[in-house]
Amino acid sequence: GAELEKDSGEGHGAPAVTEGERPSNRQDDRGDFSPQHRRMVDRLGLNRVQVMKVLKEDFVGSIHGKAPMRVVEFMTFKSHRRIPRSSDYKTVLLSELSADVKVVFISHRWLRPWHTREECEEMRHEWAGRAHPDDAAGTKHKLIWEAVERLAKEKGWDLDKVVLWVDYAGVEQDDAVLLGAGVASLRGYIALSDVLLIPSPDEVPEGAAHTIDMVPGEYGERAWTRLEAMSMYTVSILKQVEAPEMWVAAGDGASFLERFDYVLTELPSTGVIFDKGDLVAIKGHEEAFVKAIEASVVRNGYITKHKASVNCTAFDPKDEEGQLVASGGDDGEIKLVRRQTGTAVWTVQTGSAVKCLAFNGDGSLLAAGGDDGVVRLWDVTGGRPVEKGTLRG
């Protein structure tokens, strides 16, 4: 996302929206949030004062009055047979929908980001008359709707109540000022989303760590896409969600659909930036995110908590900085936790109270001993543990 048609691959290319412009557009004469923004805040479903203050003012409050969140209903998106553009007028205002709709934020790299026929054809793509987020075959459009159908089935969602935010449709593509307002509102849009979905036309390498830096197609290398992932990560921490709802889809029929993690050592500002003028904005966002994360950990402690006593811990040797630690408890769960934020990378249920844990030397395997006399072994090289076998004492 945040690629947007005006972005030639050299940065957003949209005029900056100043902070001074925003309040008059999003607040009424008394300085209160407009009815539209209040409806958006109601979607958060939270009542913790400090959390609501941050999300309301710094996230939802960042949505510019000229760029309210516009989404595409899932059935409309699928039947359109291609990724809708803002000029197709397929979007509806999120504020006018019921509070129980599920919002999927599509975060992606454009497949045809070039603005001239020569550049596009040089890269062996069919020229669409302008930059385009998909290829001529509609590969990404198909992958998105297939992934959303799979995700909805897994989560028990009614597809009639699923909507998508896609930059090409949800941000005005033909007005530079409105385009800039949309780019400035990205973290607000993400705060109102239930899931961040990354469609990857390229296959995810087998055994690759499930972190955003491993998403194919340069997603994890770009500063702006990292920023979107970090925004969802921060919102998840503020909402006290144990693991961020960031999913990567790949393969025919979205055969690969897995949850991924955001690693704080891969900050957005260290990613690829084609327009160095974007660096100030990106650093400003990430500094605000880190501050919010640290304050949340101090205020709330670790998000990840066992439901019963913790009996054992073990540091993951794959993490040279010592931030990843596995814990096992009487609740029968093993959790791999990122110490810096207290979020869970993964959780696995063993069915028996866990009494001891140990990684092998390179961190590829994890063994757990239960009070039922069974030692269980997992392959932990990927994003989720894969049970390899058991040994009974």
Side-chain angles (χ1 to χ4, degrees):
E3 193 76 30
L4 310 173
E5 186 174 329
K6 302 297 183 182
D7 176 12
S8 64
E10 301 299 320
H12 287 305
V17 179
T18 65
E19 290 294 330
E21 289 181 276
R22 291 194 182 105
S24 61
N25 286 317
R26 73 169 187 253
Q27 294 176 321
D28 60 27
D29 293 337
R30 298 169 301 170
D32 295 330
F33 278 79
S34 67
Q36 184 180 76
H37 272 83
R38 281 196 288 271
R39 286 194 293 274
M40 294 296 90
V41 169
D42 288 343
R43 272 194 56 81
L44 296 173
L46 300 170
N47 57 15
R48 293 187 294 278
V49 175
Q50 291 169 306
V51 173
M52 281 300 297
K53 185 177 190 308
V54 173
L55 288 171
K56 174 180 172 182
E57 296 179 1
D58 296 342
F59 285 78
V60 177
S62 72
I63 297 177
H64 198 284
K66 292 180 180 178
M69 190 169 185
R70 305 191 68 91
V71 293
V72 184
E73 294 174 314
F74 174 74
M75 294 303 183
T76 300
F77 180 89
K78 181 178 178 180
S79 64
H80 195 63
R81 302 175 71 94
R82 65 183 186 276
I83 296 177
R85 191 176 186 275
S86 59
S87 55
D88 292 327
Y89 302 108
K90 296 295 181 181
T91 61
V92 294
L93 286 170
L94 179 62
S95 60
E96 295 180 356
L97 300 178
S98 61
D100 61 345
V101 298
K102 301 300 182 182
V103 183
V104 180
F105 184 102
I106 307 301
S107 178
H108 63 126
R109 292 279 288 112
W110 283 29
L111 298 186
R112 289 183 284 178
W114 310 284
H115 288 276
T116 67
R117 177 188 293 275
E118 291 73 22
E119 289 177 297
C120 187
E121 293 180 347
E122 184 179 343
M123 299 303 294
R124 299 182 180 180
H125 279 273
E126 182 179 325
W127 175 239
R130 56 170 66 93
H132 199 280
D134 207 350
D135 59 20
T139 303
K140 187 185 291 183
H141 174 263
K142 182 173 182 287
L143 177 58
I144 290 172
W145 69 254
E146 289 175 336
V148 172
E149 284 189 342
R150 278 201 62 197
L151 192 62
K153 183 177 181 179
E154 180 166 327
K155 291 182 170 294
W157 291 349
D158 179 353
L159 282 170
D160 288 330
K161 290 189 175 183
V162 174
V163 298
L164 281 63
W165 185 90
V166 188
D167 51 8
Y168 200 49
V171 175
E172 175 56 54
Q173 299 294 315
D174 296 316
D175 184 307
V177 172
L178 296 182
L179 173 63
V183 171
S185 303
L186 283 175
R187 73 174 183 268
Y189 299 156
I190 291 175
L192 295 171
S193 299
D194 297 281
V195 168
L196 184 141
L197 176 66
I198 304 168
S200 173
D202 300 319
E203 296 285 347
V204 177
E206 186 175 353
H210 281 34
T211 52
I212 63 131
D213 55 307
M214 295 304 296
V215 177
E218 300 181 353
Y219 180 93
E221 298 175 14
R222 287 292 302 273
W224 280 109
T225 42
R226 280 187 186 177
L227 189 70
E228 289 179 354
M230 187 178 188
S231 183
M232 174 57 87
Y233 183 73
T234 306
V235 168
S236 300
I237 289 172
L238 290 171
K239 291 181 178 179
Q240 293 284 282
V241 175
E242 187 175 69
E245 286 281 0
M246 295 189 290
W247 295 75
V248 173
D252 187 40
S255 56
F256 180 95
L257 183 64
E258 298 284 346
R259 205 165 179 168
F260 272 51
D261 190 23
Y262 181 84
V263 182
L264 274 176
T265 53
E266 301 291 343
L267 289 169
S269 60
T270 66
V272 176
I273 303 172
F274 292 101
D275 183 347
K276 295 303 180 184
D278 289 346
L279 188 59
V280 173
I282 290 170
K283 279 192 171 181
H285 281 304
E286 75 181 21
E287 287 170 6
F289 292 156
V290 170
K291 181 179 178 182
I293 290 169
E294 291 176 344
S296 179
V297 172
V298 170
R299 183 170 59 244
N300 302 308
Y302 275 11
I303 297 165
T304 301
K305 296 179 176 70
H306 284 268
K307 304 178 187 70
S309 299
V310 174
N311 298 319
C312 48
T313 59
F315 283 91
D316 187 340
K318 296 190 297 298
D319 177 30
E320 295 180 356
E321 296 186 358
Q323 289 295 327
L324 295 177
V325 60
S327 59
D330 283 340
D331 56 3
E333 292 186 341
I334 301 172
K335 296 175 180 288
L336 185 67
V337 180
R338 194 171 302 285
R339 296 171 62 214
Q340 191 173 18
T341 61
T343 54
V345 178
W346 50 253
T347 299
V348 64
Q349 175 59 246
T350 69
S352 172
V354 181
K355 296 301 183 181
C356 58
L357 287 172
F359 285 95
N360 67 339
D362 63 6
S364 61
L365 298 172
L366 175 65
D371 68 355
D372 57 357
V374 177
V375 175
R376 295 170 175 84
L377 186 68
W378 288 269
D379 181 331
V380 289
T381 54
R384 291 182 177 179
V386 177
E387 189 164 352
K388 303 297 290 183
T390 59
L391 178 64
R392 295 185 178 274

